[in-house]
Amino acid sequence: MLLRHTPKEIVEREALTIQPAKTCQPIGAMYAALGIHRCLPHSHGSQGCCAYHRSALTRHYKEPVMAATSSFTEGASVFGGQANLMEAINNIFTIYDPDIIAVHTTCLSETIGDDVTQIVAKAQEEGKIPAGKYVIKASTPSFVGSHVTGFGNMVKGIVEGFAAKSNEN
């Protein structure tokens, strides 16, 4: 069907510039997290960011993409999103019961300076992360790099989240 619209002769195009589609780091991080069995990606930022990332991946793969968000409001944007992430971790494990939550940051949480490592440690300390469950994290500011950088940062976060020190020298 489509071949009938293909020209018979090859035309050399001089004014054509080919640029690969590039988008922000959190999309790459979300994609990397979706590759882990029973892992729920979590966008630490506003609902709009997460909705954009999910819809971009859903449109591309023509499959629904699941992800959670910290749902920043004006208050979290000013005072930080620790309370939002702590509540999200608790709700996600209670409602969706994944084995892993993969938290990636957005430009908003990066700009206000949320310390995700400290927040996850506090959640662990307060018992919000059930035994045998994990929260891994990656710094993925949207204003640096692309989805390729975000994928790499999440893979690094995955390795750091699951790597264990050995006693051997």
Side-chain angles (χ1 to χ4, degrees), residues 157-168:
I158 293 165
V159 171
E160 289 172 349
F162 290 111
K165 291 184 180 180
S166 90
N167 294 330
E168 298 176 22

Side-chain angles (χ1 to χ4, degrees), residues 78-111:
V78 173
F79 300 113
Q82 177 171 314
N84 292 47
L85 184 53
M86 295 282 285
E87 186 176 348
I89 289 170
N90 188 48
N91 289 343
I92 291 167
F93 281 127
T94 302
I95 298 167
Y96 300 107
D97 192 36
D99 290 337
I100 306 160
I101 298 174
V103 179
H104 60 269
T105 56
T106 64
C107 54
L108 180 57
S109 57
E110 288 284 340
T111 301

Side-chain angles (χ1 to χ4, degrees), residues 80-156:
Q82 177 171 314
N84 292 47
L85 184 53
M86 295 282 285
E87 186 176 348
I89 289 170
N90 188 48
N91 289 343
I92 291 167
F93 281 127
T94 302
I95 298 167
Y96 300 107
D97 192 36
D99 290 337
I100 306 160
I101 298 174
V103 179
H104 60 269
T105 56
T106 64
C107 54
L108 180 57
S109 57
E110 288 284 340
T111 301
I112 63 175
D114 270 355
D115 185 353
V116 176
T117 302
Q118 175 269 324
I119 297 169
V120 171
K122 184 174 180 174
Q124 184 75 48
E125 187 179 292
E126 291 184 6
K128 295 188 184 302
I129 303 172
K133 306 283 184 172
Y134 301 91
V135 177
I136 56 177
K137 61 208 171 306
S139 174
T140 55
S142 300
F143 46 79
V144 177
S146 69
H147 61 287
V148 176
T149 314
F151 187 93
N153 285 345
M154 182 52 81
V155 170
K156 181 181 175 196

